[in-house]
Amino acid sequence: MQEFLQNYMSSGNVTSDFTVFEAFMAIFLSFFLSVVITQVYKLTHHGVRYSQSFVQTVIIMSVVVSIIMIVIGNNIAVAFGLVGAFSIIRFRSAMADPKDIAFIFFGMAAGIASGLGFYLLAVLFTASLSVLIYILYVVDYGKSSTNYEKILKITVPENMNYEGIFDDIFEENMNYYKLTNVETTNQGTMYLLEYRVSTKEGVQDKEIMDAIRTKNANLKVSLNLSQMTY
């Protein structure tokens, strides 16, 4: 135990092998590369829940990781100490898009390479992966050939017999439809109908919504992607 503490306390001598110039190189290179990564993220992001805080977090984490790698160096004692310190950290924010996690690791990898002094590798890695991500975005790789399941919500007056009233519209424009929920709204003066639907190829959402509005007294209609679909 005493030997472990001595090795830990002497870690400053190990990290001093890094010159001030090398330290600043690692910090500013990781910052620059993470800015490039976040620009790629902004360019290829097509969701509705864009977060400026997430973009800034990627940059901050990349720089912090580069500093951590400088501090650790080749000292195993310091590495174990930092693992223990950071093990208490918990991330409680759920990611809206699974791809966001990949960009966090992207930024961390660039920070690790910069902190270890592999400057050329860090630049080549960031440039090549950024190009690959952009290519995947341009070709829309991985898109399903079938239509996504959608959530259709229709508000109808309380006195309307809604059962089967929209069937002709659904059969004309959808591959399938299913009523999943009915609830009252607006203090019981209206009903809110919720369907799971899959629209036919080439059918625009606006066409469906306009057709429904002619039958539900022009009340609110919404059509969104299912939250369970990625």
Side-chain angles (χ1 to χ4, degrees):
M1 183 65 181
Q2 185 176 0
E3 182 180 356
F4 174 81
L5 293 175
Q6 289 177 351
N7 290 332
Y8 185 81
M9 295 300 295
S10 63
S11 61
N13 296 330
V14 177
T15 56
S16 63
D17 292 338
F18 267 90
T19 64
V20 174
F21 175 76
E22 289 172 328
F24 274 102
M25 273 289 295
I27 293 172
F28 285 104
L29 181 61
S30 61
F31 175 80
F32 172 77
L33 295 179
S34 60
V35 169
V36 173
I37 292 170
T38 54
Q39 288 297 320
V40 174
Y41 172 80
K42 291 170 60 178
L43 182 64
T44 59
H45 180 78
H46 51 75
V48 296
R49 297 183 62 182
Y50 174 82
S51 173
Q52 181 183 9
S53 296
F54 174 78
V55 172
Q56 295 177 356
T57 299
V58 173
I59 297 175
I60 295 171
M61 288 188 66
S62 179
V63 176
V64 169
V65 167
S66 70
I67 296 296
I68 292 174
M69 299 312 299
I70 293 174
V71 172
I72 292 176
N74 295 321
N75 193 298
I76 299 178
V78 177
F80 277 108
L82 288 174
V83 168
F86 283 99
S87 64
I88 64 174
I89 298 176
R90 296 291 184 271
F91 294 96
R92 303 185 183 276
S93 298
M95 292 294 171
D97 188 343
K99 193 172 68 174
D100 292 354
I101 302 175
F103 273 94
I104 289 179
F105 281 103
F106 190 4
M108 291 176 63
I112 291 172
S114 300
L116 292 176
F118 298 110
Y119 306 132
L120 181 59
L121 176 62
V123 173
L124 292 177
F125 164 70
T126 302
S128 58
L129 187 53
S130 297
V131 171
L132 291 175
I133 292 174
Y134 182 72
I135 291 174
L136 293 176
Y137 168 75
V138 170
V139 302
D140 206 9
Y141 179 78
K143 182 179 180 180
S144 175
S145 58
T146 59
N147 288 335
Y148 292 107
E149 187 178 73
K150 299 180 180 180
I151 300 291
L152 174 63
K153 295 182 180 180
I154 306 174
T155 303
V156 298
E158 181 187 19
N159 59 357
M160 175 179 288
N161 183 15
Y162 56 81
E163 294 187 7
I165 190 173
F166 305 111
D167 286 356
D168 57 336
I169 299 174
F170 293 162
E171 291 173 1
E172 180 182 354
N173 298 284
M174 299 176 183
N175 294 318
Y176 78 88
Y177 58 92
K178 181 180 180 181
L179 180 64
T180 58
N181 187 49
V182 179
E183 62 182 69
T184 58
T185 185
N186 198 22
Q187 298 182 347
T189 60
M190 299 179 185
Y191 285 105
L192 178 62
L193 314 179
E194 183 174 309
Y195 294 85
R196 287 190 177 273
V197 302
S198 175
T199 57
K200 293 182 179 179
E201 188 72 25
V203 176
Q204 301 294 321
D205 292 347
K206 184 178 184 303
E207 299 176 8
I208 300 174
M209 297 173 68
D210 288 344
I212 293 174
R213 287 168 56 202
T214 62
K215 293 192 174 186
N216 77 327
N218 202 27
L219 296 176
K220 183 178 179 180
V221 180
S222 65
L223 184 59
N224 305 298
L225 287 176
S226 172
Q227 294 182 354
M228 298 180 62
T229 303
Y230 293 99

